[in-house]
Amino acid sequence: MFGLSGGWVLLLYFTATAIVYALTVVGAKKAYALLKCASFCVTPFGKNAYIDYGSHKVGNTFWAVTAGWQAALASLLFAAVWYATVVGAYLGSRYLHLAQYAVAPFGAKCYPNALLTGEETAVPRLREEHNFEL
């Protein structure tokens, strides 16, 4: 559903940008982070992005100034379109999470909703697996 609602546009954007970064010597780690962002475009349901703005300051700043603002703006526009509909609030919230992830993808991680909210009984095991501290 998300791919049909405009997520494919952002998927293509992140994938193409990752290929360009991968062609450079210093961009391999950046390409990996962008491919994680592209995978979030494909399957955004059931997980949220956790952004650590303190890590990778130089990479995130360079990304935000050069290309990240474009991806975030596209995500915000898709979110506005979906929030304008009656049934699109959930898809709009997914695009808002994607916009946050698009601004600073380096050092960001995607976690299952249960891990962040503590809704399931498997939360302690998931927290240990992901080394996640709330």
Side-chain angles (χ1 to χ4, degrees):
M1 179 69 178
F2 194 70
L4 298 176
S5 68
W8 63 272
V9 174
L10 297 170
L11 169 73
L12 291 175
Y13 177 78
F14 285 122
T15 305
T17 309
I19 291 170
V20 171
Y21 269 99
L23 294 176
T24 65
V25 174
V26 296
K29 283 190 172 185
K30 307 282 189 253
Y32 177 70
L34 293 173
L35 288 176
K36 286 193 313 183
C37 200
S39 72
F40 187 70
C41 290
V42 175
T43 57
F45 303 113
K47 58 185 173 182
N48 285 328
Y50 176 74
I51 311 298
D52 182 13
Y53 291 106
S55 68
H56 305 281
K57 292 178 187 175
V58 174
N60 280 331
T61 303
F62 178 75
W63 169 255
V65 169
T66 57
W69 68 271
Q70 297 168 354
L73 181 64
S75 298
L76 290 174
L77 290 175
F78 282 123
V81 167
W82 281 105
Y83 273 122
T85 66
V86 176
V87 294
Y90 184 71
L91 283 173
S93 71
R94 298 290 87 207
Y95 278 111
L96 287 180
H97 280 281
L98 184 59
Q100 181 184 18
Y101 193 70
V103 170
F106 310 121
K109 294 180 174 59
C110 291
Y111 293 107
N113 287 346
L115 181 64
L116 295 172
T117 60
E119 294 175 352
E120 292 184 0
T121 57
V123 169
R125 181 182 51 81
L126 287 171
R127 286 186 180 154
E128 289 175 7
E129 287 176 8
H130 294 286
N131 295 328
F132 187 72
E133 300 279 333
L134 287 178

